Amino acid sequence: MLKKMSEIATGYTGYLIVFIATFVFLLPKINEFCTVYSTIDFDSQALLAWDYAAYKGIMPHKDIFYPYGILFYLRDQNIFFHLIYFLSIPMLFTLLFAVLKKMWKNTYLLVISFALFIFFILQFTGIDTFNRYGHIVAFASYLAYIAYALKRQSSRIPFFIGITSGVLFSLITDQGIYFIAMFSLYVIITPILRENIKVIFGKTYYARAIYDFFLYIAGFVIGFLPYLFYLLSNNSFVAFLHSIAQFSDIALYAKTPFIPSLRSPGNAFIFTILLLTLIVVANKIINKKKNNFTFYLQLFLALGLILLLQKSIVRSIDRQLTFIAVLLLFTLCKDFDVMLKALKVEAYNRITYICLLLVTILLINPFRINKITSNKRSALRGTACINSSVDHLTKKYPGYKMLSNLIRKDRKNSNNGIFSFPGDPIFYILFNQRSPYYLSVYEASPLYAQKNRIDYIENQNILYVIYNQKSTSIQDGVPDIIRGSYEFQFILKEFALIGRLNDFLILKRDKSQDILHNKLLDDVPKFKKTILDVDLEFVPQLEGRHKQKILDESSTLLSSRSIEEVNNFLKSATVTSDKIILILRATDSSKSKEKVSVTLITQDNINTRVQFQGCGGRGCIIRLSSLPAFFTNRIIKEIHMNTAYKGMMEIRENPKEDILW
Amino acid sequence: MRVNKSILQGLFSTYLGIFILLMSVFLFRNSWVDKDVYLIFLMLYGILPLIFILLRGKRAIFLTVNLFILGIIYTSIFLFFRKIRELFPAPDILDTKIVGFTQYYGYPFYFDTALFFTIIIITFSMPLIINFLKPKRRN
């Protein structure tokens, strides 16, 4: 019986059984078209807003910013994409089963490792994450196989790989880009692995590489054609190209420190396994033990993981990549098995040792990788789906619905729209209103995106702005008024404060009012402090470091080490905030690491404080019109500094070229 | 160095048992040990005796030396992390006027990438360098 099962598992029937078994196991999910969100945090609101947009037939890239690919956008709205999404999961499991089968010669280890792998995916990674990053892993494994098994590569292979890449690029754009990178690495290193490093000095190497790339690109174009027709038919092609061009800007505003995140359980696990794998691969190269599938699998999986870690370096996705480390762990266990076999350890003992090791690392989980907590899925569709999330969230957080009712009462029968700052997209759903292209100030960090949101306010005839006081920093500790300062400036100039409900402020279109002379401002001390007490951290220092050359173009009104001399000048002259910049150059370098605090007093008795990190070396540049208190032009009458600062202060004209923050 | 295989197997089984026991103990009582120390232990010292015993002979010694040097390099990177960070240029606020974490807190944008690839390259090349430097056998 066991022998029969072993034959089935190791034959082609095994692949069919695995596909059917995983398909049947996941079958209850085929009817799940709806995610019910249980928390009102920024991420959940954004996902809900995208679900709502997809339900309303809003085009991604053209009408709404969506960086994750059409497959995820339409999987709950379109039966075709839903089936592709669903069927790709058992397909990925089957491909990875085939990889493990190729690696293990022992059926017990094959079955146990595959079972542990599925367990790990279900407990720690999640099906959605696996369906997103599993494609590049399967692709890396396939490349490992053809690098190992095929001494002479057929021309059809790069062509068909190109078609697959084009299709995946259409469905999950960022993963498609990784496919291109992975194939490039394959073309570069495979001839070197098959022969030796000297092959790179021959012309054949480069001719072959160019030929393979040519076939790959031809296949890629064919694979991309259906999606290209879809984009062209919806006038979205240019918007799609624009969204790809924005990837570099996403990296700029999304980047958070990576090295400190190495302490997380996921990253600790990934790096332990990755570095061990690199040592093992290097040793195999030294000892010329690279003529086995395990070596190629380790190398290509490690390269795939290193590629994906570039995304993690921008913004840590440690937990999502741990399953790749699990596959690498299996390859290390395979090497361990070979070592034990060389020591004449019996098969039964070898299996026991490896199973003990895998169970300890994956089940007892010494790295303490957290189990996934995902939102519930249900069979609801369309309006019922959206309403189930909205009803659940508004019951849990009643302020949202109360505020919506209050605004409806104020606007009476008009259809004037609302705008949410920094970004509570649930309001657009509550008001049955099309959302802005960028849902929040976070995605709208670039200036062009902030202008896009301002255009939305103008074009949609927005009458109200809902300001969430509780959210001072939507992500990463960067204040929203700094991140979206251009947008915030527009709001303060065009809208007036009219009321408050809990953490929400209501502003109504009225450009005649100066926000700082609004009587209601004293009733909202938190908002008042946000406007009048600003922490710029390193922004002035970075401006000083990188923008010195433009200062040559602006003339100096005053340069002095004495604050009294500066104040005398301000009292005698009419210095307006829109025309000047402040430059501070600290002379006492030992103090330059302390925060500098500058208090500015205006002619109309507005008292505002700005703090920032010290200004040694090239100094700090502050453009006053960037500060909320000076969004409206004011006359500066006095400046005070804290004792942390000793040095030169310059008041210069605002340069003509608008490159200062 | 010749080693009796049965003694090797016995040593290995004992070692594996102790290793699993220690990891299980740390799992339930990890407040006894600083987390970073625990992670370094897992990375280096848990694997070292295993490789030494299994590979035996001079090859094992060079691998052990390899891992210890890497351990020193990794520890140095983590200990002097802030000083190394100061060597990298702070990011610029470009025409797009993006102010994210790196611009707001002055964190060097390419620092993590550079450090990551340094660790990867050192880890991969260390065995190759040690192999190149080790004395060759005379025929």
Side-chain angles (χ1 to χ4, degrees):
Chain A
M1 174 78 168
L2 282 171
K3 194 178 173 189
K4 184 74 181 165
M5 282 173 66
S6 171
E7 280 171 12
I8 291 170
T10 51
Y12 288 106
T13 322
Y15 300 142
L16 191 61
I17 291 173
V18 166
F19 183 86
I20 293 171
T22 46
F23 178 85
V24 167
F25 178 73
L26 294 165
L27 202 54
K29 293 185 179 299
I30 201 170
N31 208 29
E32 289 173 356
F33 287 88
C34 174
T35 304
V36 182
Y37 300 96
S38 53
T39 55
I40 207 146
D41 58 273
F42 164 66
D43 289 329
S44 296
Q45 283 199 56
L47 291 169
L48 176 60
W50 282 321
D51 288 347
Y52 178 71
Y55 158 65
K56 286 285 193 182
I58 288 169
M59 288 294 301
H61 313 305
K62 184 179 157 201
D63 299 323
I64 194 165
F65 173 76
Y66 187 77
Y68 300 114
I70 195 82
L71 179 65
F72 290 91
Y73 188 74
L74 291 178
R75 65 161 184 178
D76 288 340
Q77 308 302 329
N78 182 295
I79 193 75
F80 173 68
F81 287 102
H82 188 80
L83 283 174
I84 293 177
Y85 183 87
F86 181 81
L87 289 172
S88 61
I89 304 167
M91 188 193 73
L92 285 172
F93 276 128
T94 308
L95 284 169
L96 291 171
F97 175 81
V99 169
L100 291 175
K101 175 175 166 284
K102 181 72 187 165
M103 188 182 73
W104 293 117
K105 297 299 177 205
N106 186 293
T107 310
Y108 298 111
L109 288 169
L110 167 64
V111 170
I112 290 166
S113 61
F114 187 63
L116 281 171
F117 180 70
I118 294 181
F119 171 80
F120 192 90
I121 296 290
L122 295 174
Q123 283 286 99
F124 300 107
T125 306
I127 290 291
D128 286 344
T129 302
F130 176 62
N131 204 357
R132 187 183 167 84
Y133 296 108
H135 298 275
I136 187 69
V137 173
F139 183 55
S141 307
Y142 174 67
L143 291 177
Y145 172 73
I146 56 175
Y148 164 70
L150 301 180
K151 297 303 167 202
R152 271 193 173 211
Q153 181 184 280
S154 157
S155 304
R156 287 178 290 185
I157 289 176
F159 181 70
F160 286 119
I161 289 176
I163 293 176
T164 312
S165 300
V167 169
L168 196 78
F169 181 75
S170 311
L171 297 173
I172 313 173
T173 310
D174 61 328
Q175 298 304 304
I177 294 172
Y178 289 127
F179 266 50
I180 298 170
M182 200 69 220
F183 180 74
S184 306
L185 287 170
Y186 164 80
V187 166
I188 291 167
I189 66 172
T190 305
I192 299 169
L193 290 173
R194 282 184 183 148
E195 297 169 57
N196 57 52
I197 190 77
K198 290 177 187 169
V199 76
I200 64 169
F201 299 112
K203 287 179 194 172
T204 322
Y205 174 78
Y206 298 98
R208 184 82 219 187
I210 292 168
Y211 182 61
D212 286 345
F213 272 117
F214 173 75
L215 290 169
Y216 178 81
I217 291 166
F220 188 95
V221 168
I222 290 171
F224 184 61
L225 271 176
Y227 191 53
L228 176 63
F229 290 139
Y230 171 78
L231 291 170
L232 289 169
S233 64
N234 289 293
N235 296 318
S236 299
F237 180 61
V238 172
F240 174 72
L241 291 177
H242 194 248
S243 72
I244 293 175
Q246 286 186 47
F247 280 171
S248 58
D249 289 337
I250 294 173
L252 279 176
Y253 67 72
K255 171 91 182 92
T256 51
F258 175 68
I259 300 297
S261 75
L262 285 180
R263 292 174 179 221
S264 72
N267 275 331
F269 178 59
I270 289 168
F271 271 80
T272 304
I273 302 296
L274 177 63
L275 296 176
L276 274 172
T277 305
L278 290 174
I279 294 169
V280 165
V281 164
N283 274 286
K284 283 183 181 177
I285 292 173
I286 292 167
N287 299 319
K288 295 183 175 37
K289 285 187 180 171
K290 47 189 173 82
N291 195 25
N292 58 75
F293 177 62
T294 311
F295 167 77
Y296 284 90
L297 186 62
Q298 283 169 333
L299 180 64
F300 280 89
L301 279 179
L303 287 171
L305 180 56
I306 288 170
L307 269 178
L308 285 171
L309 281 170
Q310 302 317 300
K311 191 175 183 184
S312 198
I313 285 172
V314 172
R315 200 167 185 87
S316 186
I317 48 168
D318 54 341
R319 196 177 48 73
Q320 296 167 23
L321 302 182
T322 47
F323 75 98
I324 308 175
V326 170
L327 288 171
L328 282 173
L329 176 64
F330 291 156
T331 65
L332 294 174
C333 287
K334 172 63 183 173
D335 286 333
F336 187 42
D337 180 43
V338 168
M339 277 184 211
L340 293 176
K341 201 173 175 184
L343 284 173
K344 308 272 191 277
V345 175
E346 287 171 10
Y348 176 75
N349 286 335
R350 296 199 320 261
I351 293 168
T352 310
Y353 296 145
I354 291 170
C355 290
L356 266 175
L357 194 63
L358 286 175
V359 161
T360 307
I361 294 174
L362 297 180
L363 293 189
I364 298 177
N365 188 17
F367 288 91
R368 298 275 211 185
I369 300 167
N370 292 330
K371 289 183 189 175
I372 51 152
T373 50
S374 50
N375 293 305
K376 283 186 193 158
R377 297 276 293 169
S378 78
L380 296 170
R381 297 190 72 170
T383 320
C385 171
I386 302 296
N387 287 343
S388 71
S389 280
V390 171
D391 290 344
H392 177 76
L393 291 171
T394 50
K395 264 191 196 133
K396 209 171 162 184
Y397 308 95
Y400 286 81
K401 204 142 195 190
M402 282 167 62
L403 182 65
S404 308
N405 292 338
L406 197 66
I407 290 176
R408 279 200 184 89
K409 212 172 160 183
D410 188 77
R411 74 177 187 180
K412 297 189 178 80
N413 293 325
S414 76
N415 281 330
N416 295 114
I418 59 97
F419 181 80
S420 173
F421 185 92
D424 285 290
I426 194 171
F427 281 117
Y428 304 116
I429 303 172
L430 288 170
F431 281 89
N432 196 25
Q433 179 182 317
R434 187 155 150 168
S435 66
Y437 186 87
Y438 299 96
L439 291 174
S440 75
V441 78
Y442 176 67
E443 293 104 351
S445 293
L447 182 61
Y448 59 78
Q450 292 182 56
K451 286 181 177 173
N452 182 288
R453 278 169 54 95
I454 290 169
D455 288 342
Y456 172 86
I457 294 173
E458 298 281 44
N459 298 337
Q460 296 295 315
N461 207 18
I462 301 294
L463 190 59
Y464 299 93
V465 169
I466 300 169
Y467 179 89
N468 188 340
Q469 285 193 102
K470 202 173 171 187
S471 168
T472 51
S473 165
I474 205 163
Q475 290 279 1
D476 311 332
V478 178
D480 298 321
I481 64 164
I482 305 295
R483 191 189 282 280
S485 66
Y486 193 78
E487 184 183 326
F488 187 57
Q489 180 177 353
F490 178 83
I491 289 169
L492 287 195
K493 283 167 89 167
E494 297 288 320
F495 291 80
L497 181 64
I498 62 164
R500 173 193 158 186
L501 181 73
N502 300 332
D503 289 318
F504 296 106
L505 302 183
I506 308 164
L507 294 92
K508 196 170 179 181
R509 182 81 80 151
D510 182 0
K511 61 180 357 174
S512 65
Q513 279 204 37
D514 183 341
I515 189 87
L516 291 179
H517 292 295
N518 190 315
K519 288 173 193 165
L520 291 173
L521 195 61
D522 290 325
D523 299 334
V524 286
K526 195 172 173 187
F527 182 62
K528 190 177 178 180
K529 189 172 187 287
T530 299
I531 298 174
L532 295 178
D533 194 352
V534 179
D535 190 348
L536 293 179
E537 281 291 342
F538 281 85
V539 171
Q541 200 185 103
L542 296 183
E543 293 286 88
R545 201 177 287 200
H546 296 287
K547 309 252 172 89
Q548 284 292 322
K549 60 180 174 128
I550 65 118
L551 296 182
D552 296 334
E553 298 161 18
S554 71
S555 53
T556 307
L557 300 176
L558 176 78
S559 179
S560 173
R561 288 179 196 280
S562 159
I563 195 69
E564 287 79 24
E565 191 182 338
V566 170
N567 284 326
N568 288 338
F569 170 76
L570 291 171
K571 279 175 184 144
S572 60
T574 305
V575 176
T576 54
S577 55
D578 63 335
K579 291 198 166 52
I580 62 163
I581 58 175
L582 287 181
I583 298 163
L584 304 172
R585 298 183 209 276
T587 49
D588 184 348
S589 59
S590 65
K591 290 270 188 191
S592 67
K593 287 201 171 108
E594 285 182 41
K595 262 194 182 170
V596 176
S597 173
V598 179
T599 304
L600 299 126
I601 303 169
T602 67
Q603 193 176 54
D604 53 344
N605 290 322
I606 300 297
N607 201 316
T608 183
R609 183 174 77 147
V610 56
Q611 296 181 82
F612 43 92
Q613 293 292 340
C615 304
R618 295 185 202 173
C620 292
I621 301 174
I622 304 138
R623 189 168 72 166
L624 291 189
S625 52
S626 301
L627 301 176
F630 300 114
F631 287 162
T632 301
N633 191 23
R634 301 183 201 278
I635 297 171
I636 315 289
K637 276 299 160 196
E638 234 176 297
I639 295 179
H640 296 285
M641 311 281 298
N642 68 341
T643 53
Y645 181 77
K646 281 185 175 33
M648 187 75 83
M649 179 185 288
E650 292 177 29
I651 300 176
R652 287 206 189 199
E653 271 184 359
N654 211 351
K656 288 184 188 114
E657 204 183 331
D658 183 28
I659 72 165
L660 288 176
W661 181 83
Chain B
M1 182 171 85
R2 282 174 183 263
V3 181
N4 186 302
K5 280 174 192 164
S6 60
I7 293 173
L8 257 176
Q9 286 186 13
L11 274 172
F12 169 72
S13 304
T14 311
Y15 166 75
L16 191 63
I18 295 170
F19 179 60
I20 290 170
L21 177 66
L22 277 174
M23 283 168 74
S24 306
V25 168
F26 285 145
L27 170 73
F28 290 107
R29 299 292 301 181
N30 60 4
S31 57
W32 288 352
V33 174
D34 177 73
K35 205 174 174 186
D36 294 336
V37 172
Y38 173 57
L39 289 176
I40 291 171
F41 165 83
L42 281 177
M43 273 176 63
L44 295 170
Y45 302 100
I47 304 298
L48 271 174
L50 184 66
I51 294 172
F52 182 77
I53 289 167
L54 286 176
L55 286 186
R56 42 198 172 138
K58 290 174 186 171
R59 218 171 355 139
I61 294 170
F62 280 103
L63 243 173
T64 311
V65 166
N66 173 17
L67 287 172
F68 267 112
I69 294 173
L70 281 174
I72 291 167
I73 292 172
Y74 298 151
T75 311
S76 306
I77 287 172
F78 284 111
L79 284 176
F80 297 107
F81 171 74
R82 285 189 195 278
K83 286 207 187 317
I84 299 171
R85 194 176 86 184
E86 281 164 23
L87 298 172
F88 283 77
D92 187 10
I93 298 173
L94 304 170
D95 291 343
T96 48
K97 306 280 171 85
I98 291 172
V99 179
F101 183 97
T102 55
Q103 295 84 4
Y104 188 68
Y105 290 106
Y107 190 86
F109 188 80
Y110 294 108
F111 171 60
D112 292 336
T113 307
L115 204 56
F116 171 80
F117 279 107
T118 303
I119 292 172
I120 296 292
I121 290 168
I122 287 175
T123 306
F124 185 73
S125 58
M126 187 62 64
L128 302 171
I129 293 169
I130 289 180
N131 181 63
F132 181 74
L133 291 174
K134 79 177 181 191
K136 303 281 184 285
R137 274 189 199 169
R138 286 183 193 174
N139 290 327

